[in-house]
Each structure stands twice: as structure tokens, then as C-alpha cells.
Amino acid sequence: SHLTSISTWYFNNEANNILSIIKENSEPLEKCVSGIYQGIATGKDSVFIIDEQVINQNKIERNILHKILKGKDISPYTINWSNKYLIYPYDNDGNVIPEKDLKDKFPNAYEYLISQKNELKGRSYFDKSKKFWYELWNQRNLKRFYQSKIITLDTAGKNSFAYDEGIYIGTTTVYSLIPSKKINTKALLAILNSKVLTYYHKKNTIPQAGGYYRYQALFIKDLPIKIPKPEISKLMDTIVSNILYLVVQLRTNT
């Protein structure tokens, strides 16, 4: 038992030294981005998140729809969009479209929502709010999502960050990292997906059931980022751009 305790102490001490080296001369992730944002909460995904079949059956107007990701659609460097859309009855600033305007401008979407009104009545917390019956629980601001960003899922077996040019919004299981000018976005993506930061994160986060780890804003905001020099940053940008291109090509050809 004496040998076991020495061995355990040595391993922990070694791990602490490694973590200190990783953290040395770094900046927390939250200072390298302008924000880490959770996606949209619908309050009723079964009604508001729909596929092509529902869209075609109800002839729902395309300009009220937005491509949406769930956490399971994201893996390192890769987005496997599951062809789901969000009905978003707001303008791009998150202001609700009045019911009369919704009915006039998007009659088919409105009729679909009317057909689902009984389902939407089940949201008891809406009764205590001033929201209209067809609203989302937290619509957020679309401008936050329609820009180049890094995205990740809330729970994963390893660091799983991907690059989005501003095509998708996310559900509550998706987090968007909006890049700042402090660091090249694709260089940051490489650092976040690295084995070094995966090791660091696993040592600083309590594992969940099944060997998964949390990646919500609270758990990743302090990840240590060593900002690369300009010439290294440029090289990393090129390499990651090639990786992203290859990922798309492989997915397209399989």
C-alpha cells in the first residue's frame, strides 16, 4: 500500500506539472473570443424543428426557416447537418412578428402552427410570461449566429470543435464561440481540437456517465490558449483550411 500511495502521488504531481506547463504564458479562452453563446431554446422542438417532409407537406415558406444544428451533428472539424430547420417567427433582431403579420406574410407556416396549437399549450411556463402562443422560449438574436464562428456540443467524449462560416444556428446543446481579433479563428480551432487541450480539459472537468465531458460555456471559458506568432498562425490557418476542405470532400463522396 505504501508503494501504491507513492505511485499515486507521483502521477498526480506529474499531471499537475504538465497542466502548469500547458497553462503557462496563455490566455483564457473567454479573452480570445467576444462571446460563448448557447443556442436557441424552442420550448417545443417537436413543433418548431422540422424536416423537409413537414416543410413540403405544409408548404411552409422558406424565408421563415433557418438551418439548425443539434449537438450530435458536431464532431472535431466536422458538421454533419441532419437537414433540420427551425421555424423562427421573429425578425433578425429577435423581435416577435405580430400574429396578424405572421398570418399575412407566412400563411402556410401560420396554418401549421395553428394545427399544433394544442401541443404548444402544454408549455406551462408560457402561461406566466407575456409571450404569444406561437413564440419560442428563448429566441436569442440571429445576428449572433450568422457570422464566422467556432461551434461545439455541450457534452462529448473529447474536444469536438468545428468551423461554421455563419450558415447554421444551434439548439441549446450547441455553443457558439465568436472569434475576436486577438487570434486567427482557424488557428484557435486547431488549438481547441488538439490532444494537449483535450488532455487539459479532461483533467479539469469531472467526467460524466459513459466517459463524456461537459463543454458548456462555464466549463470551457478558462481553457488556456497560447496565441501563436503571426507566421505560425498563418501556417495553422492554411493547414486547417485544407482539413476543412478534405472533410467536406470525404463527406460528399461517401
Side-chain angles (χ1 to χ4, degrees):
S1 62
H2 178 63
L3 287 174
T4 303
S5 63
I6 291 175
S7 175
T8 302
W9 176 86
Y10 178 77
F11 174 78
N12 289 338
N13 188 52
E14 183 180 43
N16 288 334
N17 287 340
I18 293 170
L19 296 178
S20 296
I21 292 169
I22 295 171
K23 197 171 180 180
E24 190 177 345
N25 298 321
S26 68
E27 292 200 33
L29 175 60
E30 65 180 341
K31 288 191 176 180
C32 298
V33 295
S34 61
I36 303 173
Y37 302 114
Q38 189 180 32
I40 287 168
T42 70
K44 202 71 176 182
D45 285 1
S46 60
V47 172
F48 290 103
I49 297 179
I50 58 177
D51 57 21
E52 289 286 352
Q53 184 177 356
V54 174
I55 294 168
N56 293 330
Q57 283 177 348
N58 296 276
K59 298 180 180 178
I60 293 174
E61 294 83 1
R62 294 279 170 176
N63 51 348
I64 199 174
L65 300 174
H66 298 267
K67 293 180 178 180
I68 191 164
L69 293 172
K70 293 188 175 183
K72 64 181 182 180
D73 298 337
I74 301 168
S75 55
Y77 295 108
T78 308
I79 296 172
N80 288 306
W81 178 50
S82 51
N83 299 304
K84 296 292 174 61
Y85 294 84
L86 172 73
I87 297 175
Y88 190 77
Y90 303 85
D91 62 24
N92 286 344
D93 292 316
N95 301 309
V96 66
I97 299 171
E99 188 166 357
K100 183 181 181 302
D101 292 344
L102 184 66
K103 185 177 181 179
D104 289 345
K105 295 177 182 177
F106 308 103
N108 296 337
Y110 181 76
E111 285 302 316
Y112 165 77
L113 291 171
I114 286 284
S115 74
Q116 301 295 316
K117 197 168 184 179
N118 285 336
E119 287 288 314
L120 297 177
K121 282 180 181 176
R123 302 181 293 171
S124 58
Y125 43 84
F126 263 59
D127 298 336
K128 300 174 184 177
S129 75
K130 295 181 180 179
K131 286 180 173 287
F132 298 132
W133 64 268
Y134 55 87
E135 286 197 64
L136 309 177
W137 179 238
N138 193 330
Q139 71 273 21
R140 310 204 189 273
N141 187 325
L142 285 192
K143 290 178 181 177
R144 181 179 290 174
F145 302 101
Y146 283 137
Q147 55 184 308
S148 295
K149 60 186 183 291
I150 294 172
I151 55 176
T152 192
L153 63 164
D154 62 347
T155 307
K158 62 180 179 180
N159 289 25
S160 300
F161 294 84
Y163 177 71
D164 173 31
E165 293 180 337
I167 298 172
Y168 303 102
I169 56 176
T171 62
T172 53
T173 58
V174 174
Y175 283 78
S176 296
L177 289 65
I178 310 302
S180 69
K181 294 180 180 179
K182 185 173 285 188
I183 185 170
N184 176 281
T185 301
K186 291 175 183 175
L188 177 59
L189 176 61
I191 293 168
L192 289 169
N193 277 330
S194 68
K195 289 183 179 180
V196 171
L197 276 201
T198 295
Y199 174 85
Y200 183 93
H201 186 64
K202 288 183 177 182
K203 289 293 182 183
N204 282 279
T205 307
I206 299 171
Q208 305 301 296
Y212 290 92
Y213 297 83
R214 292 180 175 179
Y215 288 88
Q216 294 98 322
L218 177 65
F219 297 98
I220 63 173
K221 67 183 181 66
D222 293 320
L223 284 174
I225 307 299
K226 293 189 179 182
I227 298 174
K229 294 179 180 179
E231 61 270 21
I232 300 298
S233 182
K234 186 176 181 180
L235 178 61
M236 292 173 75
D237 183 287
T238 301
I239 292 170
V240 171
S241 294
N242 287 332
I243 290 171
L244 296 174
Y245 173 78
L246 289 171
V247 163
V248 171
Q249 293 304 310
L250 287 169
R251 193 168 69 246
T252 303
N253 295 325
T254 55

